[in-house]
Protein backbone atom coordinates (compact mmCIF):
# COMPACT_ATOMS: atom_id res chain seq x y z
CA UNK A 1 0.00 0.00 0.00
CA UNK A 2 2.86 2.35 0.81
CA UNK A 3 4.26 1.81 -2.71
CA UNK A 4 1.02 3.03 -4.28
CA UNK A 5 1.12 6.29 -2.34
CA UNK A 6 4.69 6.92 -3.50
CA UNK A 7 3.53 6.91 -7.14
CA UNK A 8 0.46 9.12 -6.73
CA UNK A 9 2.34 12.47 -6.97
CA UNK A 10 4.09 11.34 -10.15
CA UNK A 11 0.80 10.17 -11.66
CA UNK A 12 -0.93 13.44 -10.77
CA UNK A 13 1.95 15.45 -12.28
CA UNK A 14 1.88 13.35 -15.47
CA UNK A 15 -1.88 13.85 -15.85
CA UNK A 16 -1.53 17.59 -15.23
CA UNK A 17 1.26 17.96 -17.80
CA UNK A 18 -0.61 15.84 -20.33
CA UNK A 19 -3.73 18.03 -19.99
CA UNK A 20 -1.75 21.27 -20.19
CA UNK A 21 0.45 20.50 -23.18
CA UNK A 22 -0.66 21.14 -26.74
CA UNK A 23 -1.96 18.13 -28.59
CA UNK A 24 0.32 16.47 -31.10
CA UNK A 25 -2.02 17.45 -33.90
CA UNK A 26 -1.74 21.16 -33.03
CA UNK A 27 2.04 20.98 -32.98
CA UNK A 28 2.08 18.94 -36.18
CA UNK A 29 -0.26 21.44 -37.87
CA UNK A 30 1.96 24.35 -36.83
CA UNK A 31 5.08 22.57 -38.13
CA UNK A 32 3.38 21.59 -41.38
CA UNK A 33 2.10 25.13 -41.98
CA UNK A 34 5.58 26.51 -41.29
CA UNK A 35 7.07 24.04 -43.80
CA UNK A 36 4.48 25.06 -46.41
CA UNK A 37 5.30 28.74 -45.90
CA UNK A 38 9.02 28.02 -46.21
CA UNK A 39 8.28 26.17 -49.46
CA UNK A 40 6.12 29.08 -50.73
CA UNK A 41 3.00 26.88 -50.74
CA UNK A 42 0.85 29.58 -49.21
CA UNK A 43 -2.59 28.15 -50.06
CA UNK A 44 -1.83 24.94 -48.19
CA UNK A 45 -0.45 26.85 -45.21
CA UNK A 46 -3.49 29.17 -45.27
CA UNK A 47 -5.81 26.18 -45.22
CA UNK A 48 -4.09 24.66 -42.18
CA UNK A 49 -4.01 27.95 -40.29
CA UNK A 50 -7.65 28.70 -41.07
CA UNK A 51 -8.76 25.25 -39.93
CA UNK A 52 -6.84 25.64 -36.67
CA UNK A 53 -8.25 29.11 -36.07
CA UNK A 54 -11.82 27.97 -36.77
CA UNK A 55 -11.43 25.08 -34.32
CA UNK A 56 -10.01 27.41 -31.69
CA UNK A 57 -12.75 29.98 -32.28
CA UNK A 58 -15.43 27.30 -32.00
CA UNK A 59 -13.70 26.15 -28.80
CA UNK A 60 -13.61 22.65 -30.19
CA UNK A 61 -10.01 22.31 -29.06
CA UNK A 62 -8.35 23.92 -26.04
CA UNK A 63 -5.23 25.73 -27.16
CA UNK A 64 -2.18 26.85 -25.21
CA UNK A 65 -0.80 30.37 -25.46
CA UNK A 66 2.42 29.33 -27.28
CA UNK A 67 0.38 27.61 -30.01
CA UNK A 68 -1.77 30.72 -30.41
CA UNK A 69 1.35 32.89 -30.48
CA UNK A 70 2.97 30.70 -33.13
CA UNK A 71 -0.26 30.78 -35.15
CA UNK A 72 -0.21 34.59 -34.99
CA UNK A 73 3.28 34.61 -36.50
CA UNK A 74 2.23 32.18 -39.23
CA UNK A 75 -0.65 34.48 -40.14
CA UNK A 76 1.73 37.45 -40.24
CA UNK A 77 4.03 35.53 -42.59
CA UNK A 78 1.04 34.68 -44.79
CA UNK A 79 -0.05 38.33 -44.81
CA UNK A 80 3.44 39.34 -45.86
CA UNK A 81 3.61 36.69 -48.58
CA UNK A 82 0.26 37.08 -50.29
CA UNK A 83 -0.82 40.56 -49.18
CA UNK A 84 -4.10 39.39 -47.64
CA UNK A 85 -4.99 41.98 -45.03
CA UNK A 86 -7.46 39.67 -43.30
CA UNK A 87 -4.47 37.58 -42.24
CA UNK A 88 -3.22 40.53 -40.19
CA UNK A 89 -6.59 40.57 -38.43
CA UNK A 90 -6.40 36.83 -37.81
CA UNK A 91 -2.84 37.24 -36.51
CA UNK A 92 -3.97 39.94 -34.10
CA UNK A 93 -6.89 37.78 -32.92
CA UNK A 94 -4.46 34.92 -32.17
CA UNK A 95 -2.11 37.40 -30.45
CA UNK A 96 -4.93 38.63 -28.19
CA UNK A 97 -6.09 35.09 -27.43
CA UNK A 98 -2.56 34.02 -26.52
CA UNK A 99 -2.39 36.80 -23.92
CA UNK A 100 -5.90 36.00 -22.66
CA UNK A 101 -5.00 32.33 -22.21
CA UNK A 102 -1.70 32.88 -20.40
CA UNK A 103 -0.02 36.27 -20.54
CA UNK A 104 3.19 34.98 -18.96
CA UNK A 105 3.59 32.17 -21.50
CA UNK A 106 2.72 34.51 -24.39
CA UNK A 107 5.24 37.10 -23.23
CA UNK A 108 7.88 34.41 -22.85
CA UNK A 109 7.14 33.04 -26.34
CA UNK A 110 7.36 36.43 -28.04
CA UNK A 111 10.46 37.40 -26.03
CA UNK A 112 12.28 34.23 -27.06
CA UNK A 113 11.25 34.32 -30.72
CA UNK A 114 13.87 34.37 -33.43
CA UNK A 115 15.35 37.47 -34.97
CA UNK A 116 13.37 36.92 -38.18
CA UNK A 117 10.13 37.14 -36.20
CA UNK A 118 10.95 40.41 -34.44
CA UNK A 119 9.50 42.69 -37.16
CA UNK A 120 6.27 40.66 -37.14
CA UNK A 121 6.04 40.84 -33.36
CA UNK A 122 6.72 44.57 -33.48
CA UNK A 123 3.80 45.05 -35.86
CA UNK A 124 1.52 42.99 -33.61
CA UNK A 125 2.65 45.01 -30.57
CA UNK A 126 1.91 48.25 -32.47
CA UNK A 127 -1.56 47.06 -33.47
CA UNK A 128 -2.23 46.10 -29.84
CA UNK A 129 -1.08 49.53 -28.62
CA UNK A 130 -3.30 51.33 -31.14
CA UNK A 131 -6.27 49.10 -30.32
CA UNK A 132 -5.88 49.71 -26.59
CA UNK A 133 -5.79 53.48 -27.12
CA UNK A 134 -8.94 53.31 -29.24
CA UNK A 135 -10.76 51.41 -26.52
CA UNK A 136 -9.87 54.14 -24.01
CA UNK A 137 -11.29 56.97 -26.11
CA UNK A 138 -14.72 58.32 -25.36
CA UNK A 139 -17.10 58.97 -28.23
CA UNK A 140 -18.31 62.56 -28.04
CA UNK A 141 -20.27 62.54 -31.30
CA UNK A 142 -23.66 62.36 -29.59
CA UNK A 143 -23.13 65.37 -27.34
CA UNK A 144 -24.95 68.56 -28.20
CA UNK A 145 -22.87 71.43 -29.44
CA UNK A 146 -22.37 73.93 -26.57
CA UNK A 147 -22.57 76.91 -28.89
CA UNK A 148 -25.82 75.90 -30.60
CA UNK A 149 -27.38 74.97 -27.25
CA UNK A 150 -26.99 78.53 -25.91
CA UNK A 151 -28.47 80.38 -28.88
Amino acid sequence: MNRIFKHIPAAVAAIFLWNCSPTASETENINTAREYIDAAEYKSAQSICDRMRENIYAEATPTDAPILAELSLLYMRLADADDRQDNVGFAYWCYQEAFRQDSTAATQFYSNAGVDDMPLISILNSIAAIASRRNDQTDFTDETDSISATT
Side-chain angles (χ1 to χ4, degrees), residues 1-11:
M1 187 72 155
N2 199 12
R3 287 186 206 171
I4 293 173
F5 288 117
K6 288 181 181 178
H7 297 290
I8 289 176

Side-chain angles (χ1 to χ4, degrees), residues 61-102:
T61 57
T63 305
D64 289 342
I67 293 292
L68 287 161
E70 181 68 40
L71 189 57
S72 73
L73 295 180
L74 291 175
Y75 269 121
M76 290 299 288
R77 289 186 194 119
L78 286 168
D80 188 41
D82 61 8
D83 203 28
R84 280 188 48 187
Q85 294 305 310
D86 60 337
N87 282 334
V88 175
F90 296 147
Y92 179 61
W93 181 84
C94 292
Y95 177 90
Q96 284 182 307
E97 286 300 309
F99 279 99
R100 270 192 214 126
Q101 290 288 333
D102 186 348

